[in-house]
Amino acid sequence: MTTATDVDNTNKESDSTEGTIKEEMSFQADTKDLLNLMVNSIYTHKQIFLRELLSNASDAIDKIRFLSLTDGSLIQGDEEYSIEIEIDKYAKTLTISDNGIGMSYQEVIDHIGTIAKSGTRNFLEQLQKTQDLDLIGQFGVGFYSAFMVAKKVCLQTRGYDQQEGVLWQSEGEGTYSIEAIDKEKRGTTITLYLRDDAVDSTTPQKDFSNQYTIRNLVEEYSNYIQYPIKMDMSREEPPRDSQGNQVADGEWTTVVETKVLNSMIPLWKKNKNEISDEEYFKFYKHHYKDWNEYADVIHIHIEGKIEYYSLLFIPSRASSDLYSKDFAKGIQLYSNSIFVMNDCRDLLPEHLRFVRGLVDSKDFSLNISREILQHDAQLKAIGSNLEKKVISALKKLLKNDRKKYEEIWEEFGKAIKGGIYMEISNRDKLGDLLLFKSSRKDGAYTTLREYCDRASENQTEIYYAAGKDIDAIKRMPQLEIFIDKNIEVLYFTDKVDEFMASNLDTYDNKKLVSVTRENFDLDKVLGDQKTDDSENKEAADKGEEQTKEPEAEYSSLLDAIKEALKDKVVDVKLSKRLKNSPVCLVATNSGNTFNMEQLLRGANQVAPRASKILEINPYHKLFGALKATHKKKSENADFSDCCELMYYQALMVEGFELDDPVEFSGRLANLMVNYYTQSV
């Protein structure tokens, strides 16, 4: 705080013209450091100075308005609250005036600028620690932000209960002057003498003497200040005749018109029952530059320990960069209708990053100025409630407008599934929102709830198959028993699906199980049906004569195959899931599935290999041929080649690249030569 006792030096001199005393004072050391930073540092977001000064003006009007509720005489003759901006291009000045509460002589010394009041040292320490000039924009700089664009600042003010005004002036070099002056009305006028680089006519957005630049900044940062922000806007009119028609000859005239630059009443503070769909859509298009109709709007006003307004939109289309690391996610933050931050990431979790909107609260604890919250408890409380509101809105869409929900699911489903993968606690929140296509009905989505409702009483598991697309999944040999017995299988086609399933684990007390895993509880589902029934007998009979002998009878054959493939598989079994295909690979119940292994490798990540088990269809004619080959002890080379080729066949069906294509080609050639030699 800069007070009369804080100054390093105070000099007083008489001003013979005005008959008043002008005091020259020095800022305290911290504020000097800050001013030096403002004046000499290159800073790319200088435009925030206007927001800060307009916000201070709004605060001043708020205060006199509050006092006038109990004493109406305070505003007699000046009842119309407003903020006025004046540009003088020739003098290179920008002036901001308000008819707010104003300040007394001592209040100017005590309170001018929020940086001077508190937090200066903390601000400077953090700035020094990070060496990041953009921290200025994050912390805000209050009144002294003016020195980012001004070489000199003059402040004239008169308190509502004062008989005279005060003139404060500084060039931002460590000292300021202050003196009493005559001022007719209460309020504050701040005049900025702009630096040369702040009137850059070659770059309009950096020219703060340009009326359109100022208008655009007001619309961006201060559009919802509840008092009119007025400015004279000039335009050139062509010469016209007496009927008002434009003519070629004559002089153009300059027309000056006072414009109100801000809309004043935020849409989110209106009664939602009085807002039309067209108004919502117009706001959505203007603020978020999306010309597609949004899917849903969430408009809430919460009163209680924390009061806030929120206006959220669920888009109907994903932005092109939604799933990129550069996506600018976050909800806009307003404090008492004044824009503070464009992408506050603490208000909604990552998996709801597609939601657009804003939150406005007068209860935010802002330090130094208007940007960083001193405590995040308020944000966490608001964010938790907003997450519940969005999830509730999505569930309502799913129930009442299935078609629309499926459309937005195709846009944002991966983000929602990613929420379960990233945080296991989200499974209960998001599980009901999940949609998958399945074997029950091609092209149709199903929820997990719908899947469970259709499942038989004995089914204790939810089955899924993962692949690059539905066509690839349908070709999977592991699916044959499920299709044959009409057991529904979910299709996992997004890369995140299996990783998500590892966290979701169960739904409605049913465990999620991949059809490519070693064991699943299919016997309970089939009841009296046998997974190894005689429907495949016809195919088996085309090879050697087959009988339904127990697996133990083939133990020596299975051991021999396992020995031949000892570096490639952990076990070899007779399959209960295959109906038509000769062989398939399945993964052990722990560790990666084949699909997860390939996805990780495709992302250039270290991927532990899935432990492979080779399953053989005992009713396929290949199995009969394999048995016959195994019995010919003198020709074990053929048997080894058969085992290897059988493994490679299963490997290719799973989409794996062969580790040694040359070896595969050689074994195939040997087998073909032996076959044709024996035939001849």
Side-chain angles (χ1 to χ4, degrees), residues 162-281:
Q162 301 294 303
Q163 299 300 315
E164 59 182 3
V166 182
L167 172 62
W168 180 99
Q169 300 182 84
S170 177
E171 295 182 357
E173 296 179 351
T175 64
Y176 64 89
S177 67
I178 184 169
E179 60 184 297
I181 61 169
D182 290 331
K183 189 175 186 302
E184 182 179 354
K185 295 182 178 180
R186 70 162 197 278
T188 300
T189 298
I190 300 172
T191 300
L192 281 60
Y193 293 82
L194 298 171
R195 297 175 176 276
D196 291 340
D197 60 359
V199 288
D200 182 4
S201 59
T202 61
T203 311
Q205 62 267 31
K206 295 181 180 179
D207 183 0
F208 301 113
S209 66
N210 184 306
Q211 61 181 0
Y212 299 106
T213 301
I214 297 300
R215 182 193 64 184
N216 293 339
L217 290 177
V218 171
E219 289 180 353
E220 179 177 0
Y221 289 102
S222 307
N223 198 34
Y224 300 114
I225 283 179
Q226 61 182 317
Y227 309 108
I229 301 173
K230 301 177 180 179
M231 186 173 74
D232 286 345
M233 300 282 292
S234 61
R235 66 178 187 277
E236 298 297 317
E237 287 282 352
R240 299 182 184 277
D241 59 22
S242 57
Q243 282 75 41
N245 299 315
Q246 184 175 337
V247 296
D249 298 328
E251 295 184 357
W252 286 59
T253 57
T254 301
V255 177
V256 178
E257 184 179 0
T258 301
K259 297 276 191 180
V260 175
L261 306 182
N262 58 325
S263 64
M264 291 181 283
I265 303 176
L267 185 71
W268 57 88
K269 287 190 174 180
K270 293 181 179 180
N271 187 326
K272 60 183 177 182
N273 296 324
E274 300 174 357
I275 303 173
S276 66
D277 292 340
E278 184 179 353
E279 286 180 284
Y280 277 128
F281 187 42

Side-chain angles (χ1 to χ4, degrees), residues 283-348:
F283 178 91
Y284 177 72
K285 286 193 299 183
H286 175 73
H287 274 70
Y288 305 110
K289 313 304 180 190
D290 186 356
W291 276 256
N292 296 302
E293 189 78 43
Y294 56 81
D296 200 7
V297 59
I298 304 167
H299 190 174
I300 57 177
H301 175 208
I302 301 297
E303 294 182 285
K305 188 175 180 180
I306 302 174
E307 181 181 6
Y308 66 92
Y309 297 83
S310 181
L311 185 57
L312 304 177
F313 296 91
I314 299 174
S316 60
R317 295 288 181 269
S319 60
S320 58
D321 61 345
L322 176 64
Y323 295 105
S324 76
K325 63 180 180 179
D326 298 324
F327 178 67
K329 47 189 171 290
I331 300 299
Q332 291 178 323
L333 194 64
Y334 284 75
S335 177
N336 205 22
S337 302
I338 297 166
F339 176 73
V340 171
M341 189 183 297
N342 201 41
D343 52 355
C344 184
R345 302 186 179 191
D346 297 327
L347 286 169
L348 281 178

